[in-house]
Amino acid sequence: MTYESAKVPNVITIDGPSGSGKGTLAARLAVHYGYNLLDSGALYRLLGLKAKQVGLFHEGAFRGNVIPTEQLANLALTLDIQFIPDADRQLLVLLDGHDVTQVIRTEQTGHLASQVAVIPEVRDALLQRQRDFAVQPGLIADGRDMGTVVFPDAPAKIYLTASANARAERRVKQLQNMAIDANIDNILSDIVARDRRDMERAIAPLKPADDALIVDSSSKGIDEVLAELIRYIDLHV
């Protein structure tokens, strides 16, 4: 099923930089509306993990340095993926029915993802795979180019942002709650550098859609932002 032929008006896109709260809010909105959920940022990690499982990688690299482009593209189109908000309204990620929520966040999986993400045929296949998530009763699509590239005709588009300092402070608290030491200066530097890369990249740069609601969550709590988004969505969907 292609995006053009799918008659699914209820697509809600949430774009924005890393650490702005997109993931948490997308999960809560999916629970609130009973919609399907897409975490587009996880797709390349899931593809990298699956490619490793089926033997397309050897010791973290393509066998013989030969990129199996066709196999990877086909794999991207057929990935069995589910994104499920759990009881705490966080995100549970299933690959072939198995919980890989933590596995896909590892450095090793990130390395695999970086290798498949630069292949044009894979990017094209995953673009279609993302659009295939748009089924009834509706979809919450979380990413960086959901409203500008993947679902440009979505009736409700949100661009969630926050200052780099606010996002760095949130990340530090998150790591501290996991008993992980964190240096806020290093984290802030990483966030600023990542923002620059995302905004200046040639393909699908990070930016709000022309018709998106822009919300700055720097000084707002999660419940306050959630209420604001629901009011907006209810007027547009």
Side-chain angles (χ1 to χ4, degrees), residues 218-232:
S218 300
S219 59
K220 297 177 180 178
I222 193 74
D223 291 335
E224 181 182 358
V225 176
L226 179 64
E228 183 175 352
L229 299 189
I230 290 173
R231 287 194 297 270
Y232 164 77

Side-chain angles (χ1 to χ4, degrees), residues 57 60-62 67 72 108 110-119 122:
F57 282 106
F62 294 117
I67 300 175
L72 285 168
Q108 180 186 27
H111 176 65
L112 300 175
S114 68
Q115 294 184 69
V116 300
V118 297
I119 304 169
V122 169

Side-chain angles (χ1 to χ4, degrees), residues 14-28:
I14 307 179
D15 292 313
S18 175
S20 58
K22 301 191 309 295
T24 299
L25 285 161
R28 292 195 177 193

Side-chain angles (χ1 to χ4, degrees), residues 81-161:
I81 304 168
Q82 290 178 279
F83 297 109
I84 305 172
D86 66 15
D88 296 321
R89 296 182 182 180
Q90 297 301 312
L91 185 61
L92 179 69
V93 183
L94 302 182
L95 177 63
D96 297 325
H98 300 289
D99 183 357
V100 294
T101 308
Q102 299 303 321
V103 175
I104 63 170
R105 302 304 177 189
T106 64
E107 184 176 345
Q108 180 186 27
T109 305
H111 176 65
L112 300 175
S114 68
Q115 294 184 69
V116 300
V118 297
I119 304 169
E121 293 85 353
V122 169
R123 298 189 68 90
D124 289 343
L126 283 180
L127 175 62
Q128 183 58 52
R129 185 68 185 88
Q130 290 172 86
R131 288 174 173 167
D132 287 342
F133 276 88
V135 294
Q136 293 288 2
L139 176 69
I140 308 292
D142 162 16
R144 289 182 174 79
D145 61 354
M146 297 295 98
T148 55
V149 175
V150 183
F151 299 107
D153 297 324
K157 301 175 185 177
I158 297 158
Y159 186 85
L160 186 64
T161 189

